[in-house]
Amino acid sequence: MVLPPKDHPRYKSLLAREKLVDASEFVAKQGLIAHGRGEAFDYLLGEQTCLPALSAIKAASSALIEAKNPVISVNGNVVALAAREVARLSEISGAKVEVNLFHRTPERVAGLTKMMKKVGIDALGVNADDKIPGLSSERAKCCSDGIGSADVVLVPLEDGDRCEALVKMGKKVITIDLNPLSRTAQTAHITIVDELTRCLPLLSDFVKEKNGLDSFNNKQCLTDVLNYMAERISS
Amino acid sequence: MVLPPKDHPRYKSLLAREKLVDASEFVAKQGLIAHGRGEAFDYLLGEQTCLPALSAIKAASSALIEAKNPVISVNGNVVALAAREVARLSEISGAKVEVNLFHRTPERVAGLTKMMKKVGIDALGVNADDKIPGLSSERAKCCSDGIGSADVVLVPLEDGDRCEALVKMGKKVITIDLNPLSRTAQTAHITIVDELTRCLPLLSDFVKEKNGLDSFNNKQCLTDVLNYMAERISS
Protein backbone atom coordinates (compact mmCIF):
# COMPACT_ATOMS: atom_id res chain seq x y z
CA MET A 1 0.00 0.00 0.00
CA VAL A 2 1.33 3.47 -0.96
CA LEU A 3 0.66 5.62 2.09
CA PRO A 4 -0.20 9.25 1.33
CA PRO A 5 1.78 11.93 3.24
CA LYS A 6 0.18 12.42 6.69
CA ASP A 7 0.06 16.20 6.28
CA HIS A 8 -1.87 15.99 2.99
CA PRO A 9 -5.13 17.97 3.34
CA ARG A 10 -7.05 14.99 1.96
CA TYR A 11 -5.07 12.28 3.81
CA LYS A 12 -8.07 10.22 4.93
CA SER A 13 -9.65 10.23 1.50
CA LEU A 14 -6.39 9.17 -0.18
CA LEU A 15 -5.80 6.49 2.45
CA ALA A 16 -9.27 5.02 1.84
CA ARG A 17 -8.51 4.86 -1.88
CA GLU A 18 -5.22 3.05 -1.29
CA LYS A 19 -6.91 0.58 1.12
CA LEU A 20 -9.40 -0.33 -1.60
CA VAL A 21 -6.80 -0.69 -4.33
CA ASP A 22 -4.71 -2.77 -1.92
CA ALA A 23 -7.59 -5.16 -1.25
CA SER A 24 -8.65 -5.17 -4.89
CA GLU A 25 -8.32 -8.95 -5.12
CA PHE A 26 -11.53 -9.12 -3.05
CA VAL A 27 -13.15 -5.82 -4.02
CA ALA A 28 -15.27 -5.84 -7.18
CA LYS A 29 -14.11 -3.42 -9.88
CA GLN A 30 -17.62 -1.98 -9.79
CA GLY A 31 -16.93 -1.44 -6.08
CA LEU A 32 -14.03 0.86 -6.93
CA ILE A 33 -16.32 2.92 -9.16
CA ALA A 34 -18.97 3.00 -6.43
CA HIS A 35 -16.35 4.25 -3.98
CA GLY A 36 -15.57 7.13 -6.30
CA ARG A 37 -19.23 8.13 -6.34
CA GLY A 38 -19.13 8.20 -2.55
CA GLU A 39 -15.97 10.32 -2.57
CA ALA A 40 -17.72 12.95 -4.68
CA PHE A 41 -20.69 13.20 -2.33
CA ASP A 42 -18.37 13.28 0.69
CA TYR A 43 -16.56 16.16 -0.94
CA LEU A 44 -19.90 18.00 -1.10
CA LEU A 45 -20.40 17.26 2.62
CA GLY A 46 -17.03 18.84 3.39
CA GLU A 47 -15.79 15.41 4.54
CA GLN A 48 -17.51 15.93 7.89
CA THR A 49 -20.42 14.29 9.70
CA CYS A 50 -23.31 16.70 9.15
CA LEU A 51 -26.05 17.25 11.75
CA PRO A 52 -28.76 15.26 9.93
CA ALA A 53 -26.32 12.33 9.70
CA LEU A 54 -25.73 12.56 13.44
CA SER A 55 -29.48 12.14 14.03
CA ALA A 56 -29.50 9.11 11.75
CA ILE A 57 -26.56 7.60 13.66
CA LYS A 58 -28.49 8.05 16.92
CA ALA A 59 -31.59 6.45 15.38
CA ALA A 60 -29.41 3.55 14.22
CA SER A 61 -28.04 3.26 17.74
CA SER A 62 -31.58 2.88 19.12
CA ALA A 63 -32.43 0.25 16.50
CA LEU A 64 -29.33 -1.80 17.32
CA ILE A 65 -29.90 -1.51 21.08
CA GLU A 66 -33.50 -2.72 20.73
CA ALA A 67 -32.72 -5.47 18.19
CA LYS A 68 -32.98 -9.15 19.11
CA ASN A 69 -30.89 -10.54 16.24
CA PRO A 70 -28.94 -7.69 14.70
CA VAL A 71 -26.63 -8.46 11.79
CA ILE A 72 -24.01 -6.31 10.08
CA SER A 73 -23.86 -7.28 6.40
CA VAL A 74 -20.44 -6.50 4.88
CA ASN A 75 -19.17 -6.48 1.30
CA GLY A 76 -15.70 -6.03 -0.20
CA ASN A 77 -15.64 -2.26 0.11
CA VAL A 78 -16.81 -2.37 3.74
CA VAL A 79 -14.19 -4.92 4.79
CA ALA A 80 -11.39 -3.18 2.87
CA LEU A 81 -12.23 0.21 4.33
CA ALA A 82 -13.52 -0.52 7.81
CA ALA A 83 -12.87 -4.07 9.07
CA ARG A 84 -11.72 -2.79 12.47
CA GLU A 85 -14.60 -0.36 12.86
CA VAL A 86 -17.07 -3.14 12.02
CA ALA A 87 -15.39 -5.48 14.50
CA ARG A 88 -15.71 -2.94 17.31
CA LEU A 89 -19.38 -2.27 16.54
CA SER A 90 -20.04 -6.03 16.46
CA GLU A 91 -18.41 -6.48 19.87
CA ILE A 92 -20.23 -3.55 21.47
CA SER A 93 -23.67 -4.21 19.94
CA GLY A 94 -23.58 -8.01 19.90
CA ALA A 95 -24.45 -7.96 16.19
CA LYS A 96 -23.23 -10.86 14.06
CA VAL A 97 -21.25 -10.08 10.92
CA GLU A 98 -22.12 -11.70 7.58
CA VAL A 99 -20.07 -11.40 4.41
CA ASN A 100 -22.76 -10.89 1.79
CA LEU A 101 -21.82 -9.92 -1.74
CA PHE A 102 -23.49 -8.49 -4.82
CA HIS A 103 -20.70 -9.78 -7.08
CA ARG A 104 -20.44 -13.08 -5.21
CA THR A 105 -17.71 -15.66 -5.82
CA PRO A 106 -16.57 -18.32 -3.32
CA GLU A 107 -13.02 -16.85 -3.47
CA ARG A 108 -14.19 -13.37 -2.59
CA VAL A 109 -16.38 -14.60 0.30
CA ALA A 110 -13.47 -16.69 1.67
CA GLY A 111 -10.93 -13.86 1.28
CA LEU A 112 -13.17 -11.32 3.02
CA THR A 113 -14.02 -13.79 5.81
CA LYS A 114 -10.27 -14.19 6.37
CA MET A 115 -9.82 -10.40 6.52
CA MET A 116 -12.55 -10.22 9.21
CA LYS A 117 -10.89 -13.09 11.11
CA LYS A 118 -7.71 -10.98 11.27
CA VAL A 119 -9.61 -8.37 13.29
CA GLY A 120 -11.07 -11.01 15.61
CA ILE A 121 -14.44 -11.61 13.95
CA ASP A 122 -15.84 -15.01 12.92
CA ALA A 123 -18.01 -13.78 10.11
CA LEU A 124 -20.84 -15.79 8.59
CA GLY A 125 -21.17 -16.05 4.82
CA VAL A 126 -19.22 -19.03 3.53
CA ASN A 127 -22.03 -21.52 4.16
CA ALA A 128 -24.92 -19.62 2.64
CA ASP A 129 -28.00 -21.83 3.16
CA ASP A 130 -30.79 -19.30 2.83
CA LYS A 131 -32.14 -16.84 0.29
CA ILE A 132 -33.35 -13.27 0.13
CA PRO A 133 -36.61 -13.57 -1.89
CA GLY A 134 -36.95 -11.63 -5.13
CA LEU A 135 -33.29 -11.58 -6.13
CA SER A 136 -31.51 -13.58 -8.83
CA SER A 137 -29.50 -16.64 -7.75
CA GLU A 138 -26.03 -15.56 -6.61
CA ARG A 139 -27.27 -12.22 -5.36
CA ALA A 140 -29.93 -13.86 -3.19
CA LYS A 141 -27.67 -16.10 -1.12
CA CYS A 142 -27.46 -15.50 2.64
CA CYS A 143 -27.09 -17.41 5.91
CA SER A 144 -30.11 -18.62 7.89
CA ASP A 145 -28.40 -17.84 11.20
CA GLY A 146 -27.34 -14.43 9.88
CA ILE A 147 -29.38 -12.19 7.60
CA GLY A 148 -32.04 -14.92 7.23
CA SER A 149 -33.14 -14.65 10.86
CA ALA A 150 -32.12 -11.07 11.61
CA ASP A 151 -34.67 -8.48 12.75
CA VAL A 152 -32.33 -5.51 12.21
CA VAL A 153 -29.75 -5.43 9.41
CA LEU A 154 -27.05 -2.78 9.16
CA VAL A 155 -25.94 -2.97 5.55
CA PRO A 156 -23.52 -0.24 4.54
CA LEU A 157 -22.85 0.56 0.86
CA GLU A 158 -25.64 -1.67 -0.42
CA ASP A 159 -27.21 -2.06 -3.84
CA GLY A 160 -30.73 -0.66 -4.27
CA ASP A 161 -32.41 -3.92 -5.30
CA ARG A 162 -30.99 -5.81 -2.36
CA CYS A 163 -31.87 -3.07 0.10
CA GLU A 164 -35.44 -3.13 -1.16
CA ALA A 165 -35.58 -6.95 -0.91
CA LEU A 166 -34.45 -6.81 2.74
CA VAL A 167 -37.14 -4.23 3.53
CA LYS A 168 -39.74 -6.45 1.85
CA MET A 169 -38.62 -9.34 4.08
CA GLY A 170 -39.81 -7.21 7.02
CA LYS A 171 -36.36 -6.42 8.39
CA LYS A 172 -35.51 -3.04 9.83
CA VAL A 173 -32.79 -1.85 7.46
CA ILE A 174 -30.09 0.65 8.40
CA THR A 175 -27.76 1.74 5.63
CA ILE A 176 -24.72 3.96 5.31
CA ASP A 177 -24.62 5.67 1.92
CA LEU A 178 -22.98 8.93 0.89
CA ASN A 179 -25.46 9.47 -1.94
CA PRO A 180 -28.71 10.77 -0.43
CA LEU A 181 -30.42 10.31 -3.81
CA SER A 182 -29.54 6.63 -4.28
CA ARG A 183 -32.27 4.04 -4.28
CA THR A 184 -30.66 2.41 -1.24
CA ALA A 185 -30.72 5.71 0.65
CA GLN A 186 -34.36 6.26 -0.30
CA THR A 187 -35.46 2.70 0.51
CA ALA A 188 -33.82 1.97 3.88
CA HIS A 189 -35.56 2.76 7.17
CA ILE A 190 -32.55 4.64 8.51
CA THR A 191 -30.00 6.13 6.12
CA ILE A 192 -26.75 7.49 7.51
CA VAL A 193 -25.35 9.83 4.83
CA ASP A 194 -21.77 9.78 6.05
CA GLU A 195 -18.40 8.22 5.35
CA LEU A 196 -18.03 4.72 6.74
CA THR A 197 -14.91 5.05 8.88
CA ARG A 198 -16.19 8.35 10.26
CA CYS A 199 -19.66 7.24 11.33
CA LEU A 200 -19.04 3.67 12.54
CA PRO A 201 -16.95 4.74 15.58
CA LEU A 202 -19.66 7.26 16.50
CA LEU A 203 -22.32 4.57 16.17
CA SER A 204 -20.30 2.23 18.41
CA ASP A 205 -19.89 4.98 21.01
CA PHE A 206 -23.62 5.76 20.99
CA VAL A 207 -24.57 2.08 21.38
CA LYS A 208 -22.09 1.78 24.26
CA GLU A 209 -23.50 4.90 25.96
CA LYS A 210 -27.10 3.80 25.24
CA ASN A 211 -27.46 7.13 23.44
CA GLY A 212 -30.27 6.85 20.92
CA LEU A 213 -33.11 8.63 19.15
CA ASP A 214 -36.53 7.01 18.92
CA SER A 215 -38.36 9.57 16.82
CA PHE A 216 -36.76 9.72 13.40
CA ASN A 217 -38.06 10.57 9.92
CA ASN A 218 -35.76 9.25 7.19
CA LYS A 219 -37.31 11.25 4.33
CA GLN A 220 -36.92 14.49 6.30
CA CYS A 221 -33.37 13.57 7.20
CA LEU A 222 -32.46 13.01 3.52
CA THR A 223 -34.05 16.34 2.55
CA ASP A 224 -32.02 18.06 5.26
CA VAL A 225 -28.81 16.48 3.92
CA LEU A 226 -29.62 17.56 0.35
CA ASN A 227 -30.27 21.13 1.46
CA TYR A 228 -26.99 21.10 3.37
CA MET A 229 -25.12 19.93 0.24
CA ALA A 230 -26.87 22.51 -1.97
CA GLU A 231 -25.93 25.32 0.42
CA ARG A 232 -22.31 24.20 0.45
CA ILE A 233 -22.12 24.02 -3.36
CA SER A 234 -23.58 27.44 -3.98
CA SER A 235 -21.33 29.12 -1.38
CA MET B 1 -18.42 -7.02 -21.61
CA VAL B 2 -21.84 -7.38 -19.92
CA LEU B 3 -24.13 -5.08 -21.91
CA PRO B 4 -26.87 -3.39 -19.86
CA PRO B 5 -30.43 -3.63 -21.26
CA LYS B 6 -30.90 -0.88 -23.88
CA ASP B 7 -34.13 0.31 -22.29
CA HIS B 8 -32.50 0.83 -18.88
CA PRO B 9 -33.01 4.48 -17.82
CA ARG B 10 -29.30 4.75 -17.03
CA TYR B 11 -28.06 2.72 -20.04
CA LYS B 12 -25.24 5.09 -21.03
CA SER B 13 -23.91 5.32 -17.50
CA LEU B 14 -23.94 1.53 -17.05
CA LEU B 15 -22.33 1.02 -20.46
CA ALA B 16 -19.50 3.41 -19.54
CA ARG B 17 -18.90 1.45 -16.36
CA GLU B 18 -18.73 -1.85 -18.25
CA LYS B 19 -16.35 -0.36 -20.84
CA LEU B 20 -13.97 0.65 -18.07
CA VAL B 21 -14.14 -2.68 -16.26
CA ASP B 22 -13.64 -4.41 -19.62
CA ALA B 23 -10.48 -2.42 -20.35
CA SER B 24 -9.26 -2.69 -16.77
CA GLU B 25 -6.00 -4.28 -17.86
CA PHE B 26 -4.99 -0.83 -19.10
CA VAL B 27 -7.04 1.36 -16.80
CA ALA B 28 -5.50 2.23 -13.42
CA LYS B 29 -7.54 1.09 -10.41
CA GLN B 30 -7.42 4.70 -9.26
CA GLY B 31 -8.99 5.49 -12.64
CA LEU B 32 -12.02 3.39 -11.75
CA ILE B 33 -12.45 5.36 -8.52
CA ALA B 34 -12.03 8.62 -10.41
CA HIS B 35 -14.73 7.51 -12.85
CA GLY B 36 -17.11 6.99 -9.94
CA ARG B 37 -16.49 10.55 -8.77
CA GLY B 38 -17.40 11.74 -12.25
CA GLU B 39 -20.57 9.63 -12.25
CA ALA B 40 -21.75 11.34 -9.07
CA PHE B 41 -21.25 14.82 -10.50
CA ASP B 42 -22.90 13.80 -13.76
CA TYR B 43 -25.87 12.60 -11.74
CA LEU B 44 -26.11 16.11 -10.26
CA LEU B 45 -26.02 17.53 -13.80
CA GLY B 46 -28.94 15.32 -14.76
CA GLU B 47 -26.65 13.49 -17.21
CA GLN B 48 -27.12 16.31 -19.73
CA THR B 49 -24.86 18.95 -21.25
CA CYS B 50 -25.71 22.11 -19.32
CA LEU B 51 -25.64 25.58 -20.92
CA PRO B 52 -22.38 26.72 -19.27
CA ALA B 53 -20.71 23.53 -20.54
CA LEU B 54 -21.96 24.33 -24.03
CA SER B 55 -20.17 27.69 -23.87
CA ALA B 56 -16.99 25.96 -22.74
CA ILE B 57 -17.24 23.51 -25.65
CA LYS B 58 -17.54 26.44 -28.08
CA ALA B 59 -14.54 28.16 -26.46
CA ALA B 60 -12.59 24.91 -26.82
CA SER B 61 -13.64 24.75 -30.46
CA SER B 62 -12.15 28.24 -31.04
CA ALA B 63 -8.92 27.26 -29.29
CA LEU B 64 -8.52 24.12 -31.41
CA ILE B 65 -9.33 25.98 -34.67
CA GLU B 66 -6.71 28.64 -33.90
CA ALA B 67 -4.05 26.21 -32.62
CA LYS B 68 -0.87 25.56 -34.60
CA ASN B 69 0.11 22.31 -32.88
CA PRO B 70 -2.90 20.99 -30.98
CA VAL B 71 -2.53 17.72 -29.07
CA ILE B 72 -5.16 15.54 -27.40
CA SER B 73 -3.59 13.86 -24.37
CA VAL B 74 -5.34 10.59 -23.50
CA ASN B 75 -5.13 8.27 -20.48
CA GLY B 76 -6.62 4.85 -19.76
CA ASN B 77 -10.07 6.12 -18.86
CA VAL B 78 -10.27 8.33 -21.95
CA VAL B 79 -9.28 5.52 -24.33
CA ALA B 80 -11.57 2.98 -22.65
CA LEU B 81 -14.55 5.31 -22.72
CA ALA B 82 -14.11 7.38 -25.86
CA ALA B 83 -11.47 6.07 -28.29
CA ARG B 84 -13.80 6.59 -31.27
CA GLU B 85 -14.87 10.06 -30.20
CA VAL B 86 -11.21 11.07 -29.75
CA ALA B 87 -10.33 9.64 -33.18
CA ARG B 88 -13.05 11.69 -34.86
CA LEU B 89 -11.99 14.90 -33.11
CA SER B 90 -8.37 14.23 -34.08
CA GLU B 91 -9.34 13.78 -37.74
CA ILE B 92 -11.53 16.88 -37.85
CA SER B 93 -9.23 19.19 -35.89
CA GLY B 94 -5.88 17.86 -37.08
CA ALA B 95 -4.80 17.42 -33.44
CA LYS B 96 -2.27 14.69 -32.71
CA VAL B 97 -3.11 12.13 -30.02
CA GLU B 98 -0.61 11.28 -27.28
CA VAL B 99 -1.04 8.50 -24.73
CA ASN B 100 0.17 10.18 -21.55
CA LEU B 101 -0.37 8.49 -18.20
CA PHE B 102 -0.29 9.42 -14.54
CA HIS B 103 0.19 5.77 -13.52
CA ARG B 104 2.63 5.08 -16.35
CA THR B 105 3.94 1.63 -17.24
CA PRO B 106 5.31 0.58 -20.66
CA GLU B 107 2.60 -2.14 -20.85
CA ARG B 108 -0.22 0.32 -20.29
CA VAL B 109 1.17 2.82 -22.84
CA ALA B 110 1.55 0.02 -25.41
CA GLY B 111 -1.91 -1.42 -24.71
CA LEU B 112 -3.64 1.95 -25.01
CA THR B 113 -1.67 2.83 -28.17
CA LYS B 114 -2.96 -0.42 -29.65
CA MET B 115 -6.53 0.46 -28.68
CA MET B 116 -6.16 3.82 -30.47
CA LYS B 117 -4.68 2.05 -33.52
CA LYS B 118 -7.87 -0.02 -33.73
CA VAL B 119 -9.85 3.18 -34.31
CA GLY B 120 -7.38 4.39 -36.94
CA ILE B 121 -5.14 6.63 -34.85
CA ASP B 122 -1.34 6.42 -34.69
CA ALA B 123 -0.95 7.81 -31.20
CA LEU B 124 2.31 9.13 -29.81
CA GLY B 125 3.45 8.08 -26.35
CA VAL B 126 5.60 4.96 -26.57
CA ASN B 127 8.81 6.86 -27.31
CA ALA B 128 8.63 9.54 -24.66
CA ASP B 129 11.76 11.70 -25.15
CA ASP B 130 10.70 14.89 -23.39
CA LYS B 131 9.59 16.04 -19.95
CA ILE B 132 6.93 18.23 -18.38
CA PRO B 133 8.95 20.35 -15.90
CA GLY B 134 8.02 20.20 -12.22
CA LEU B 135 6.72 16.64 -12.10
CA SER B 136 8.36 13.52 -10.67
CA SER B 137 10.03 11.10 -13.11
CA GLU B 138 7.40 8.76 -14.59
CA ARG B 139 4.67 11.38 -14.39
CA ALA B 140 6.76 13.91 -16.31
CA LYS B 141 7.39 11.86 -19.45
CA CYS B 142 5.99 13.12 -22.74
CA CYS B 143 6.85 13.27 -26.46
CA SER B 144 8.75 16.20 -27.97
CA ASP B 145 6.66 16.05 -31.15
CA GLY B 146 3.46 15.78 -29.09
CA ILE B 147 2.79 17.56 -25.80
CA GLY B 148 6.36 18.90 -25.72
CA SER B 149 5.81 21.17 -28.73
CA ALA B 150 2.05 21.68 -28.50
CA ASP B 151 0.55 25.16 -28.14
CA VAL B 152 -2.92 23.87 -27.22
CA VAL B 153 -3.46 20.68 -25.21
CA LEU B 154 -6.86 19.06 -24.73
CA VAL B 155 -6.39 16.83 -21.73
CA PRO B 156 -9.60 15.24 -20.47
CA LEU B 157 -9.81 13.67 -16.98
CA GLU B 158 -6.41 15.00 -15.90
CA ASP B 159 -4.70 15.13 -12.51
CA GLY B 160 -4.43 18.57 -10.88
CA ASP B 161 -0.63 18.63 -10.60
CA ARG B 162 -0.15 17.75 -14.23
CA CYS B 163 -2.74 20.22 -15.42
CA GLU B 164 -0.96 22.95 -13.47
CA ALA B 165 2.43 21.90 -14.89
CA LEU B 166 1.08 22.17 -18.46
CA VAL B 167 -0.30 25.65 -17.74
CA LYS B 168 3.10 26.68 -16.31
CA MET B 169 4.74 25.48 -19.56
CA GLY B 170 2.72 28.20 -21.31
CA LYS B 171 0.33 25.87 -23.10
CA LYS B 172 -3.34 26.68 -23.53
CA VAL B 173 -5.01 23.89 -21.58
CA ILE B 174 -8.53 22.62 -22.25
CA THR B 175 -9.85 19.99 -19.88
CA ILE B 176 -13.00 17.91 -19.56
CA ASP B 177 -13.83 17.27 -15.91
CA LEU B 178 -17.20 16.55 -14.30
CA ASN B 179 -16.07 17.97 -10.96
CA PRO B 180 -16.22 21.78 -11.21
CA LEU B 181 -14.41 22.01 -7.87
CA SER B 182 -11.39 19.88 -8.81
CA ARG B 183 -7.97 21.45 -9.01
CA THR B 184 -7.83 20.49 -12.69
CA ALA B 185 -11.14 22.26 -13.37
CA GLN B 186 -9.95 25.34 -11.49
CA THR B 187 -6.50 25.42 -13.13
CA ALA B 188 -7.22 24.85 -16.83
CA HIS B 189 -7.91 27.74 -19.21
CA ILE B 190 -11.09 26.14 -20.52
CA THR B 191 -12.95 23.57 -18.42
CA ILE B 192 -15.77 21.61 -19.99
CA VAL B 193 -17.86 20.23 -17.10
CA ASP B 194 -19.53 17.46 -19.04
CA GLU B 195 -19.35 13.73 -19.66
CA LEU B 196 -16.68 12.73 -22.15
CA THR B 197 -18.71 10.79 -24.71
CA ARG B 198 -21.43 13.46 -24.63
CA CYS B 199 -19.24 16.52 -25.20
CA LEU B 200 -16.57 15.20 -27.59
CA PRO B 201 -19.02 14.72 -30.52
CA LEU B 202 -20.36 18.25 -29.94
CA LEU B 203 -16.80 19.62 -29.89
CA SER B 204 -16.01 17.80 -33.16
CA ASP B 205 -19.18 19.21 -34.77
CA PHE B 206 -18.34 22.76 -33.66
CA VAL B 207 -14.77 22.52 -34.98
CA LYS B 208 -16.11 21.19 -38.28
CA GLU B 209 -18.67 24.02 -38.53
CA LYS B 210 -16.06 26.61 -37.40
CA ASN B 211 -18.51 27.41 -34.61
CA GLY B 212 -16.59 28.97 -31.72
CA LEU B 213 -16.65 31.48 -28.89
CA ASP B 214 -13.76 33.88 -28.43
CA SER B 215 -14.86 35.65 -25.26
CA PHE B 216 -14.92 33.13 -22.42
CA ASN B 217 -14.42 33.42 -18.66
CA ASN B 218 -13.62 30.03 -17.11
CA LYS B 219 -14.15 31.12 -13.48
CA GLN B 220 -17.60 32.48 -14.33
CA CYS B 221 -18.43 29.32 -16.26
CA LEU B 222 -17.51 27.13 -13.26
CA THR B 223 -19.62 29.31 -10.94
CA ASP B 224 -22.55 28.96 -13.34
CA VAL B 225 -22.16 25.17 -13.33
CA LEU B 226 -22.04 25.05 -9.51
CA ASN B 227 -25.19 27.16 -9.25
CA TYR B 228 -26.90 24.86 -11.74
CA MET B 229 -25.96 21.80 -9.66
CA ALA B 230 -27.08 23.46 -6.41
CA GLU B 231 -30.47 24.33 -7.91
CA ARG B 232 -30.95 20.77 -9.10
CA ILE B 233 -30.04 19.29 -5.70
CA SER B 234 -32.36 21.50 -3.70
CA SER B 235 -35.32 20.91 -6.04
Side-chain angles (χ1 to χ4, degrees):
Chain A
M1 178 155 50
V2 187
L3 286 174
K6 282 221 166 179
D7 58 351
H8 195 287
R10 306 195 60 250
Y11 172 77
K12 282 188 182 175
S13 171
L14 296 177
L15 182 67
R17 218 179 281 173
E18 289 304 324
K19 275 186 188 173
L20 274 179
V21 170
D22 199 51
S24 59
E25 190 183 346
F26 307 121
V27 173
K29 295 208 172 77
Q30 289 83 349
L32 294 177
I33 297 176
H35 179 72
R37 282 199 298 283
E39 274 188 1
F41 284 104
D42 200 21
Y43 197 87
L44 299 181
L45 285 173
E47 296 178 337
Q48 290 177 351
T49 303
C50 63
L51 279 178
L54 207 63
S55 299
I57 298 170
K58 286 190 183 169
S61 168
S62 284
L64 287 175
I65 292 167
E66 289 158 20
K68 286 182 185 163
N69 296 308
V71 168
I72 308 169
S73 173
V74 297
N75 62 21
N77 283 34
V78 175
V79 175
L81 292 171
R84 277 176 205 286
E85 289 83 352
V86 166
R88 178 162 174 254
L89 179 61
S90 167
E91 281 153 16
I92 288 174
S93 67
K96 292 176 188 170
V97 176
E98 178 170 335
V99 174
N100 196 280
L101 306 180
F102 187 80
H103 297 281
R104 188 185 187 97
T105 67
E107 295 74 24
R108 291 188 62 229
V109 176
L112 294 167
T113 305
K114 212 169 150 185
M115 285 172 77
M116 286 311 302
K117 184 74 188 168
K118 278 191 191 163
V119 292
I121 296 293
D122 288 312
L124 301 165
V126 171
N127 300 311
D129 59 346
D130 205 353
K131 280 187 179 178
I132 304 168
L135 297 176
S136 59
S137 61
E138 287 303 303
R139 288 173 185 181
K141 287 186 178 174
C142 69
C143 293
S144 57
D145 51 346
I147 290 173
S149 55
D151 56 345
V152 174
V153 183
L154 167 62
V155 53
L157 319 183
E158 182 54 293
D159 161 73
D161 274 349
R162 303 212 321 161
C163 182
E164 202 176 340
L166 290 170
V167 169
K168 279 189 183 158
M169 280 177 91
K171 319 228 173 254
K172 185 157 201 171
V173 178
I174 308 164
T175 193
I176 301 171
D177 192 325
L178 278 158
N179 178 0
L181 296 163
S182 78
R183 213 147 48 86
T184 301
Q186 301 282 338
T187 309
H189 296 105
I190 301 171
T191 303
I192 302 169
V193 183
D194 199 12
E195 197 275 328
L196 200 60
T197 61
R198 205 161 54 220
C199 67
L200 283 175
L202 289 172
L203 179 53
S204 295
D205 290 346
F206 290 157
V207 172
K208 197 173 177 182
E209 299 159 6
K210 308 270 180 219
N211 184 352
L213 182 69
D214 289 324
S215 164
F216 177 76
N217 181 328
N218 206 41
K219 287 266 171 286
Q220 186 58 51
C221 181
L222 292 171
T223 304
D224 293 346
V225 173
L226 283 167
N227 287 335
Y228 178 80
M229 283 183 176
E231 271 172 40
R232 279 188 48 88
I233 291 181
S234 51
S235 65
Chain B
M1 177 154 51
V2 187
L3 286 175
K6 282 220 167 182
D7 58 349
H8 194 288
R10 305 195 61 247
Y11 172 76
K12 283 189 181 175
S13 171
L14 296 177
L15 182 65
R17 218 179 281 174
E18 289 304 323
K19 276 186 189 174
L20 273 181
V21 170
D22 198 51
S24 59
E25 190 183 343
F26 306 121
V27 172
K29 296 208 171 79
Q30 289 82 350
L32 295 176
I33 298 177
H35 180 72
R37 281 199 300 282
E39 275 188 0
F41 285 103
D42 200 21
Y43 197 86
L44 299 182
L45 284 173
E47 295 177 338
Q48 289 177 352
T49 302
C50 64
L51 278 180
L54 207 62
S55 299
I57 298 170
K58 287 191 182 168
S61 168
S62 283
L64 287 174
I65 291 167
E66 289 159 20
K68 286 182 184 162
N69 297 307
V71 168
I72 308 170
S73 173
V74 297
N75 62 22
N77 283 34
V78 175
V79 175
L81 293 170
R84 277 176 205 286
E85 289 84 351
V86 167
R88 179 163 174 254
L89 178 61
S90 167
E91 282 154 16
I92 288 174
S93 67
K96 293 176 186 168
V97 177
E98 177 171 336
V99 174
N100 195 281
L101 306 179
F102 187 79
H103 297 282
R104 188 186 187 97
T105 66
E107 294 74 24
R108 291 188 62 230
V109 176
L112 294 167
T113 305
K114 212 169 150 184
M115 285 171 77
M116 286 311 301
K117 184 75 188 166
K118 277 190 191 164
V119 293
I121 296 293
D122 287 312
L124 301 166
V126 172
N127 300 311
D129 58 347
D130 205 350
K131 281 187 177 176
I132 303 169
L135 297 175
S136 59
S137 60
E138 287 304 302
R139 287 171 185 182
K141 288 186 177 174
C142 70
C143 293
S144 57
D145 50 346
I147 290 173
S149 54
D151 55 345
V152 174
V153 183
L154 167 62
V155 54
L157 319 183
E158 181 53 294
D159 161 73
D161 274 348
R162 303 211 322 160
C163 182
E164 204 177 338
L166 290 170
V167 169
K168 279 190 183 160
M169 280 177 90
K171 319 229 175 254
K172 185 157 201 171
V173 178
I174 308 164
T175 193
I176 301 171
D177 192 326
L178 278 158
N179 178 359
L181 296 163
S182 77
R183 214 146 49 83
T184 300
Q186 302 282 338
T187 309
H189 296 105
I190 300 171
T191 302
I192 301 169
V193 182
D194 199 13
E195 198 274 327
L196 200 59
T197 61
R198 206 161 55 221
C199 67
L200 283 176
L202 289 173
L203 179 53
S204 295
D205 290 348
F206 290 157
V207 172
K208 198 174 178 181
E209 299 159 5
K210 308 271 179 216
N211 184 351
L213 183 69
D214 288 323
S215 164
F216 177 75
N217 181 328
N218 206 41
K219 288 266 170 288
Q220 186 57 51
C221 180
L222 292 170
T223 303
D224 292 346
V225 173
L226 284 166
N227 287 335
Y228 178 81
M229 283 182 176
E231 270 170 40
R232 280 188 47 90
I233 291 180
S234 51
S235 64

